[in-house]
Amino acid sequence: AQVPLLEKYIDSLTQLGRYPEALQGYKYVMRIATRKHGDNSPALAPTLERIGRWYTQVGLYEQARRTLHRAIQLVEAGEGPKSPKLIGPLTALAACNRRQLIDPKQELFSSPDAERATLYHEPGLGTPSVVSSTALTSEGERALLRAAEIADARAETSPVQVADVRTQVGDWYQSRGL
């Protein structure tokens, strides 16, 4: 019963740019979901997807990808590789990669810089993971095509969800000039 209120609070904090506090809110939401469903339940996937989408929204792409991969792993382990519950995390992963590809701030990390490299090797500071644009493109496209395949294969998938996934695939190709 607390989760909808927390999510509104988190949205407000995010709009105000108070990301550390918003992240604390999501950690609490995750703790609630884990307590309710267990550590390895596919029922955690929607919560992980929301957190992954939030990370993407605030530009924390590596954390978003890790969170979304965890959601995908939980659903695959619990319900199989063709589960319709994979559509959400897969499309969120593609959206994360697409947004990172067009984010001008990411160019900062794409070129080698000796001074910046030594800065990130200080103890206590993590080295930002540099993911090539080719890897992001490939992973995003695979995720969307897999989501489309799952949506098309299921008779019980709503036409709205199928159209949404197909639109995202079209947007993906259009943004790449294909």
Side-chain angles (χ1 to χ4, degrees), residues 31-53:
R31 203 171 350 176
I32 292 169
T34 302
R35 187 172 290 159
K36 181 178 180 181
H37 302 293
D39 287 335
N40 295 312
S41 172
L44 292 177
T47 302
L48 289 168
E49 179 186 342
R50 282 193 304 274
I51 294 169
R53 287 184 186 274

Side-chain angles (χ1 to χ4, degrees), residues 124-155:
L125 292 178
T127 305
S129 174
V130 177
V131 181
S132 74
S133 63
T134 305
L136 288 172
T137 302
S138 176
E139 179 185 54
E141 184 175 349
R142 280 193 321 269
L144 275 177
L145 292 176
R146 185 172 173 204
E149 178 185 323
I150 292 168
D152 288 342
R154 298 281 193 174

